[in-house]
Amino acid sequence: PRTFAVYYNQNKSSALRDPFVRRALNATVNKDELVSNVLNGYGIPIDSPIPNGFLQLESASTSSTTEPTRPESILVEGGWQKNSDGKWEKEIDKEIVILNVTLSTSNTPLFEQTASFIAESWRTLGIDVQVEQFEQADLVQGLIRPRDFQALLFGADLGRTVDLYPFWHSSQKNDPGLNIAQYTNISADSLLDTLKVTTSEEEKQKLASELTAIITEDQPALFLFVPS
């Protein structure tokens, strides 16, 4: 499976270090609409690093009868407020930070259309969004390898074994590792270490389920879809 996601680089943006901002950004994007509009329905929306149906995991998203929290309410809860210009701002480390995001991606049609959809979704929230597109080689060499981006729209090939270690273990957060979100979580590392040596399929399912729950809770990325 190949999963598409927006990876947040919290080292390049004090706003993106705020979990309320990542929650609000993720809640703004309608993935069903994205798959319908950009992929003409040929894809499956995802909410976790492991697509539904792989490793026999249940869906990471849970149905609920309660109304989902509005993204604006999430930002307000996190201490963000709109200034006189209508921009979201918050004092972070004794500095007033304006909420804006630079979204970087490849210049191929699929990435271009997906990035445009996401950017417009975020702009409806009142966030300034700049989209930057690069040739694939320039994107890898100039942004991904040195981790020089704020938010990166990219695809990850998980392989037939659906091995998450290269993508989410903290030891892989620097090049040539594939943990491009530079995600660090001690509990997740422990589960990934155990997963590498576990031979029991039942134990693998349990560990993978726990792992995806932790990553989904931390929201280091906006998981989007798997094309079909």
Side-chain angles (χ1 to χ4, degrees):
R2 190 176 188 209
T3 59
F4 286 76
V6 174
Y7 299 90
Y8 300 127
N9 187 346
Q10 300 176 42
N11 294 327
K12 289 290 184 179
S13 168
S14 56
L16 291 176
R17 279 198 297 273
D18 188 331
F20 290 96
V21 169
R22 300 196 303 277
R23 277 179 54 202
L25 291 176
N26 290 6
T28 306
V29 178
N30 186 322
K31 299 172 190 178
D32 290 322
E33 200 173 296
L34 170 61
V35 168
S36 176
N37 292 0
V38 175
L39 302 178
N40 294 315
Y42 292 102
I44 303 169
I46 57 173
D47 297 309
S48 80
I50 299 182
N52 300 341
F54 291 91
L55 296 183
Q56 300 174 358
L57 287 179
E58 295 180 358
S59 171
S61 60
T62 55
S63 59
S64 174
T65 55
T66 58
E67 189 72 20
T69 305
R70 288 172 54 84
E72 295 89 346
S73 302
I74 296 173
L75 289 176
V76 172
E77 182 186 353
W80 292 84
Q81 56 186 359
K82 286 196 172 182
N83 59 22
S84 57
D85 295 327
K87 307 299 182 185
W88 292 99
E89 67 176 24
K90 178 181 179 179
E91 183 176 330
I92 301 176
D93 296 332
K94 298 183 180 180
E95 289 186 9
I96 298 298
V97 174
I98 304 297
L99 180 50
N100 54 62
V101 181
T102 299
L103 177 61
S104 304
T105 193
S106 173
N107 61 359
T108 60
L110 173 60
F111 285 110
E112 180 179 356
Q113 294 171 35
T114 304
S116 177
F117 184 96
I118 294 168
E120 286 305 314
S121 300
W122 288 350
R123 287 172 185 143
T124 63
L125 190 54
I127 299 173
D128 282 334
V129 184
Q130 180 181 354
V131 177
E132 296 180 341
Q133 294 179 265
F134 301 86
E135 292 289 342
Q136 181 80 357
D138 295 335
L139 185 70
V140 172
Q141 296 296 329
L143 278 77
I144 295 178
R145 296 189 69 176
R147 309 300 195 246
D148 188 17
F149 61 87
Q150 284 191 3
L152 175 76
L153 170 61
F154 205 60
D157 186 351
L158 301 182
R160 295 194 176 194
T161 58
V162 191
D163 182 11
L164 296 182
Y165 188 95
F167 300 100
W168 298 106
H169 196 280
S170 63
S171 67
Q172 306 298 304
K173 65 183 182 181
N174 296 320
D175 185 67
L178 299 177
N179 181 358
I180 54 180
Q182 300 171 85
Y183 179 63
T184 303
N185 182 298
I186 295 174
S187 298
D189 279 356
S190 177
L191 289 167
L192 285 163
D193 289 333
T194 308
L195 264 170
K196 280 185 75 71
V197 297
T198 299
T199 56
S200 165
E201 285 301 319
E202 184 177 345
E203 184 66 14
K204 281 184 180 180
Q205 308 296 335
K206 178 176 176 293
L207 293 170
S209 183
E210 293 176 14
L211 175 64
T212 54
I214 291 173
I215 296 175
T216 304
E217 176 67 24
D218 288 342
Q219 301 196 44
L222 164 58
F223 301 104
L224 295 169
F225 57 80
V226 174
S228 56

